[in-house]
Amino acid sequence: MFRLITWVLGLGIACALFGYFVILPQLGREKSDIDVTALKGDPERGAYVLRMAGCVTCHSDGQGEATFLAGGPALKTPFGTFYGPNITPDPDHGIGRMTNQEFFDAVTAGLRPDGTHYFPAFPYASYVKMDGQDVVDLKAYLDTVPAVSKAARRHEIAWPFSDRSLVGGWKLLAIKARSIVPDAGQDNAWNRGMYLVEGAGHCGECHTDRNLLGLPRGPAHGGSPKGSFSSGAPSIAGAKSVIADWTHEDITFYLENGLKPDGDVSGGKMTQVIDFATSHLTGDDLDAIARYLLSLQTPATH
Amino acid sequence: MTTIRSKFLFTGLAAVLLSASLPVLANEAYVGYRQKIMAAVGGHAGAIGAIVKSKLPEQDAIAALAEAVAKTADTVPAAFSHALHEGATDAKPEIWDNMDDFLTLNDAMRKASLALADAARKGDPAVVKKAMRDFSKSCGACHRSYRKPKEESYKQRR
């Protein structure tokens, strides 16, 4: 009997070790099969992509030249506290040494140049849907910002979440769609809106609920209830949407000014999203976002 | 002399009575009053927003509404002079630890609303847009430090 238990236990441990050291390192490693080495970046377009993708909020702590994109404030999550790293062109502390392809793999596949995983606080689960040209333009712009020689703050994450190799499994479970498939039944504005909301703008990173493993749970953009294992961002789609009765102009005006239809202003993290991202978007893009978001609202049934 | 003394006595007595009765009688009313002031600012801001976002033919009203916000801002210092932060309020106790900062932010909001009125009178849409943005930022700047976030709001408990 004792021998049997030893064997079962030993087999279990062997399986776990095999899984951890042999299978796990293979997961979440699919690079986008897109080769971006032939693309040439346009820094001016890239400056706009920076706003579309909302990079500033997590990568800048303060707005001066000494801090712009040189590392972000604490992002508190149930898994620990993350600090967006320095993405200025500094060769040692920033991303100055990254090639376009490495940068593309970082943003869209969550892979570091050394092949290990970034933590999913970096929203590559949404950025995976970004256009190659947009990402290369972004890199071209980032190469032009003043380099700041400032080391990244270490994330404060508890084990086991601190183990980067586990992120491969997370990617396998969390990332379902790898690109935006335009809906031919909708017009260009709507499709552009889908790209901005589901891809670059990564709205669902906060507005979609999460389970204990940080995997999306419940309807997309359905909000995360207070006290759940997620951000507490309100629902912006479907049955419980807080913007169900907003007009097109209510949405564009809010994303531009932070002012809700009732005259109140935005609160929480959304304030920074508006400050550093959406208020910099063109009228056409705000229209596109409104078009798409309105199509996610459930018409009142009463 | 005696009249002065009795006057002193009277005001002293009145002050004692008032301060004693304030918690019982006036606290809730004060909190409600403050909330109405904030709702007034929000109501005017919402009306301005409605004009701007839908390009209503009410452009002249923007300046009047923005000036009403500035007037309302003048009532804030007195309304918040009592440190009432318990019960059905989203005012954070930090207001009364940092009253100077709170008042500075209120004054920044007042100035931003006057700048918006000024921009609206001059009528350059780009300047109005910028002034509108600065104005709503000035609201948010104070709320960030001194208003409880939505998830901690007393309204959540109902």
Side-chain angles (χ1 to χ4, degrees):
Chain A
M1 187 62 196
F2 178 71
R3 266 177 79 157
L4 185 70
I5 292 174
T6 318
W7 269 102
V8 170
L9 214 65
L11 202 65
I13 292 171
C15 282
L17 290 174
F18 183 78
Y20 185 86
F21 287 106
V22 181
I23 300 176
L24 193 59
Q26 311 296 320
L27 302 180
R29 205 148 284 291
E30 307 90 337
K31 291 203 178 184
S32 274
D33 41 12
I34 302 163
D35 181 354
V36 297
T37 45
L39 298 179
K40 212 177 153 333
D42 173 350
E44 217 169 296
R45 272 200 85 246
Y48 187 74
V49 175
L50 180 89
R51 303 299 177 174
M52 273 165 49
C55 311
V56 182
T57 310
C58 287
H59 287 287
S60 296
D61 199 359
Q63 286 299 291
E65 204 171 79
T67 50
F68 188 60
L69 301 177
L75 176 68
K76 289 195 180 115
T77 80
F79 307 102
T81 301
F82 295 89
Y83 297 92
N86 182 338
I87 54 168
T88 71
D90 186 82
D92 298 319
H93 302 300
I95 59 167
R97 291 207 180 108
M98 270 194 198
T99 65
N100 277 356
Q101 189 66 49
E102 283 171 340
F103 183 73
F104 181 77
D105 293 338
V107 171
T108 64
L111 288 173
R112 314 202 305 173
D114 68 3
T116 57
H117 301 290
Y118 285 108
F119 291 112
F122 182 22
Y124 48 75
S126 297
Y127 292 162
V128 66
K129 297 166 189 163
M130 279 182 81
D131 182 46
Q133 186 64 54
D134 278 352
V135 178
V136 170
D137 288 343
L138 175 59
K139 178 65 163 70
Y141 167 72
L142 290 175
D143 286 341
T144 69
V145 307
V148 180
S149 176
K150 188 178 141 202
R153 281 190 70 170
R154 283 186 72 84
H155 304 311
E156 292 143 18
I157 320 165
W159 188 86
F161 302 115
S162 56
D163 186 344
R164 287 184 188 272
S165 58
L166 294 173
V167 174
W170 183 89
K171 285 181 179 174
L172 191 75
L173 297 169
I175 302 174
K176 298 279 191 271
R178 299 193 164 271
S179 60
I180 296 268
V181 182
D183 183 339
Q186 300 279 358
D187 62 15
N188 288 342
W190 186 92
N191 278 302
R192 172 72 177 163
M194 174 164 68
Y195 175 70
L196 291 167
V197 169
E198 308 290 352
H202 63 279
C203 307
E205 298 289 336
C206 292
H207 287 283
T208 300
D209 200 11
R210 304 277 152 168
N211 67 14
L212 280 161
L213 295 174
L215 296 166
R217 171 174 69 181
H221 311 296
S224 49
K226 187 190 158 204
S228 78
F229 229 60
S230 48
S231 65
S235 172
I236 52 169
K240 290 182 192 150
S241 173
V242 298
I243 59 167
D245 58 352
W246 287 26
T247 64
H248 181 103
E249 287 75 21
D250 286 341
I251 296 174
T252 55
F253 190 76
Y254 174 71
L255 293 175
E256 198 178 354
N257 287 288
L259 202 62
K260 300 176 193 176
D262 66 1
D264 196 1
V265 286
S266 67
K269 275 260 178 285
M270 193 63 196
T271 310
Q272 291 144 43
V273 172
I274 293 168
D275 276 358
F276 304 134
T278 60
S279 67
H280 298 262
L281 299 184
T282 63
D284 283 350
D285 273 353
L286 292 177
D287 279 335
I289 292 171
R291 278 290 302 282
Y292 179 71
L293 285 181
L294 279 178
S295 76
L296 303 182
Q297 309 304 314
T298 316
T301 47
H302 48 86
Chain B
M1 191 66 195
T2 47
T3 49
I4 291 173
R5 185 185 283 172
S6 64
K7 231 178 203 169
F8 263 123
L9 266 176
F10 181 75
T11 42
L13 194 65
V16 167
L17 278 175
L18 255 181
S19 61
S21 63
L22 197 63
V24 194
L25 295 173
N27 279 7
E28 270 180 45
Y30 244 107
V31 168
Y33 165 63
R34 288 186 332 210
Q35 287 165 344
K36 291 289 178 290
I37 289 178
M38 290 299 144
V41 172
H44 285 97
I48 296 168
I51 297 171
V52 174
K53 73 177 88 164
S54 301
K55 300 187 179 64
L56 299 179
E58 300 290 339
Q59 299 299 317
D60 295 345
I62 296 175
L65 292 163
E67 272 161 6
V69 171
K71 283 243 187 293
T72 311
D74 288 336
T75 68
V76 167
F80 281 83
S81 59
H82 305 279
L84 303 172
H85 46 74
E86 265 156 38
T89 175
D90 287 334
K92 284 184 165 182
E94 283 84 351
I95 292 174
W96 293 276
D97 300 331
N98 307 286
M99 187 45 88
D100 286 351
D101 184 49
F102 178 78
L103 294 179
T104 305
L105 289 169
N106 180 59
D107 198 50
M109 186 273 283
R110 187 184 66 83
K111 283 181 181 140
S113 63
L114 288 176
L116 175 59
D118 196 43
R121 274 212 191 80
K122 285 174 183 155
D124 179 347
V127 182
V128 173
K129 198 170 150 177
K130 166 93 175 36
M132 187 74 227
R133 173 92 194 97
D134 289 345
F135 169 64
S136 46
K137 266 188 174 175
S138 74
C139 302
C142 193
H143 289 173
R144 196 171 308 141
S145 306
Y146 300 116
R147 179 172 75 168
K148 285 181 199 153
K150 198 155 263 172
E151 55 272 24
E152 289 166 30
S153 169
Y154 73 94
K155 291 171 197 150
Q156 295 281 351
R157 277 177 242 138
R158 287 183 185 165

